[in-house]
Amino acid sequence: MTLVSERPGTGAPRPYVFPRIVRREVAGGRVIAAHLPGQALSVATLLLDGGAGHEPAGREGLASVVAKALEEGTATRDATAYALALEGLGAELSTSADWDTFLVGTSAPAHLLPRALELVAEAARTPALRPEDVERVRDDEVTGLKMDWASPGPRADAALRADLFGAGHRYGRPLHGDPESVAAVTVDDVLAFHRTWLTRPGVLIVVGDLDVLDLDALAATAFAGTTPAPFSSDGPLDVPVADSRRILLVDRPGSVQSTLRLGHRAPHRAHPDYVPMTLTGTVLGGAFTSRLNHLIREVRGYTYGIRGDFGLARRFGRLLISAGVQTKFTAPALVDTIGEMSRTRSGGVTEDELAVARSWRAGQLSVEMQTPGAIAGALTTLVVHGLPDDYYPRLRESLLSATVDEVSAAAATHLHPEGLTMVVEGDAALIRDDLVATGLGEVVDA
């Protein structure tokens, strides 16, 4: 056996080619498809304008309840018969809701996709929504949320979101609601949400070998019986960054660590500075090699890990820094985090840091785009954010060609350490005085 004393070098990167995209208007709806020649597995997803942004006040989490209720059978099949029909095709149903969209989709062998899509349309357009099923799904969601909210994190997340966007605004409340808001969801709420948002045509996303898939026939199945309606066109929120810092203290008596959530408002996903902002976030806290992780974890030893990055939706965005730190290091962790953020804003990034960030982000993009499901997700991004068909090929090039000056300018423009909201969830009796002593901002009970 021969031992190699030096690590082998990396090979030359292979060219990255995003699949050819086809768009068409069919049967009152839109189709956007990506061609994967020879691909045996295909994906079809209904992209509907039924995101959480449409939920009424006090019913946050309604869209998530609807998504799960679609799996409980249809007008013509009970849950067992529906599941058996899917399994017989080697297919599966996937449902989800985020801020901007409601998704109902499937993956199946290409020759079986038309039949699988019939089942998707059946679930989306004519679900059973029996009262007893809806109530059970809702109660299961409430139980899951109660368990989740008993752990550190969700309360801090909710406090930060409410402070950044306002508790009176839908975006200022948790995406999937909380135990109280989901418990308030009624069968009538579910029926009304379905009737309003899931009976519209939406957009059909198809990924697979288009030489063997009939897009017109698939669209006719997906859009049958629907009434044409446009997607929401509300523009970005006008939500300015705060002009001062403050600390929101969420008391968790007896906690052995403090959960930190720091953030401020940021631009929306389609903003022209998306690439330099992404690279700024990567250098600051978006990778294991980031400045924050190096300082707070490796040098100080305050935490197992700290993350910070921009999260951007169709109408809004935010910078979010999150970590769990030992209770006694709560205050110094905040001081060091803001110091590192301020240094990045004022001094920009270095070429060495940026080289790592460029390579990682571009490489991650190429690796992620290897499955039909990932390509379908990318097409969804194009639709939701109004991006052009050549966006992803240009995105990789833009990531690799971004300069130190461009990324440093984005850091100076989009990092606002002076406007941070800092949420600390921990034992208030042990950390309050230390937080006040930092002078970072007013300390307020959340």
Side-chain angles (χ1 to χ4, degrees), residues 8-14:
T10 58
R14 290 180 294 175

Side-chain angles (χ1 to χ4, degrees), residues 227-284:
T227 302
F231 263 70
S232 299
S233 57
D234 296 334
L237 295 177
D238 181 18
V239 189
V241 174
D243 56 8
S244 62
R245 288 192 298 259
R246 67 176 185 154
I247 299 173
L248 303 183
L249 183 53
V250 179
D251 190 19
R252 191 176 181 83
S255 180
V256 298
Q257 70 171 18
S258 295
T259 297
L260 309 183
R261 296 291 188 269
L262 287 66
H264 62 62
R265 300 157 184 146
H268 58 291
R269 173 63 173 78
H271 192 278
D273 283 351
Y274 172 74
V275 167
M277 285 173 62
T278 296
L279 293 170
T280 295
T282 304
V283 170
L284 177 64

Side-chain angles (χ1 to χ4, degrees), residues 180-412:
E180 290 73 28
S181 68
V182 175
V185 170
T186 67
V187 174
D188 287 342
D189 292 329
V190 170
L191 293 173
F193 189 92
H194 174 269
R195 184 172 56 250
T196 302
W197 302 111
L198 272 65
T199 58
R200 303 179 178 207
V203 178
L204 177 62
I205 306 291
V206 179
V207 179
D209 188 342
L210 301 187
D211 291 335
V212 300
L213 294 173
D214 185 338
L215 293 181
D216 289 347
L218 293 173
T221 297
F223 304 142
T226 60
T227 302
F231 263 70
S232 299
S233 57
D234 296 334
L237 295 177
D238 181 18
V239 189
V241 174
D243 56 8
S244 62
R245 288 192 298 259
R246 67 176 185 154
I247 299 173
L248 303 183
L249 183 53
V250 179
D251 190 19
R252 191 176 181 83
S255 180
V256 298
Q257 70 171 18
S258 295
T259 297
L260 309 183
R261 296 291 188 269
L262 287 66
H264 62 62
R265 300 157 184 146
H268 58 291
R269 173 63 173 78
H271 192 278
D273 283 351
Y274 172 74
V275 167
M277 285 173 62
T278 296
L279 293 170
T280 295
T282 304
V283 170
L284 177 64
F288 190 80
T289 56
S290 70
R291 288 182 172 186
L292 284 176
N293 204 56
H294 175 73
L295 176 62
I296 307 301
R297 171 192 160 102
E298 302 297 330
V299 177
R300 304 296 195 215
Y302 296 158
T303 180
Y304 282 115
I306 181 170
R307 299 283 297 184
D309 215 340
F310 289 98
L312 311 177
R314 185 175 66 85
R315 299 192 64 203
F316 67 92
R318 66 172 178 171
L319 175 78
L320 174 63
I321 299 171
S322 58
V325 301
Q326 297 180 58
T327 296
K328 63 182 179 180
F329 296 133
T330 302
L334 285 179
V335 171
D336 283 345
T337 296
I338 291 177
E340 196 63 50
M341 186 177 172
S342 299
R343 182 172 77 89
T344 304
R345 180 187 183 183
S346 62
V349 303
T350 68
E351 177 58 40
D352 288 344
E353 290 174 319
L354 183 55
V356 173
R358 283 190 299 240
S359 176
W360 182 64
R361 284 292 187 182
Q364 182 186 46
L365 179 67
S366 301
V367 169
E368 287 177 348
M369 297 295 179
Q370 297 301 309
T371 66
I375 299 297
L379 296 186
T380 297
T381 298
L382 298 186
V383 174
V384 172
H385 302 290
L387 303 171
D389 289 353
D390 64 348
Y391 175 76
Y392 280 100
R394 290 192 297 105
L395 175 59
R396 188 172 188 276
E397 295 171 2
S398 297
L399 287 167
L400 291 172
S401 63
T403 67
V404 168
D405 288 344
E406 291 169 342
V407 177
S408 296

Side-chain angles (χ1 to χ4, degrees), residues 19-25 30-35 204-206 210 215 379 389:
R20 175 173 61 87
I21 294 177
V22 174
R23 290 179 184 259
R24 63 180 63 175
E25 305 279 335
R30 286 189 293 156
V31 179
I32 175 170
H35 182 38
L204 177 62
I205 306 291
V206 179
L210 301 187
L215 293 181
L379 296 186
D389 289 353

Side-chain angles (χ1 to χ4, degrees), residues 97-127:
D98 59 20
W99 289 114
D100 303 311
T101 60
F102 192 106
L103 301 176
V104 189
T106 189
S107 60
H111 68 288
L112 296 176
L113 187 66
R115 292 167 59 190
L117 184 59
E118 289 177 4
L119 293 172
V120 168
E122 188 178 319
R125 310 305 191 185
T126 59

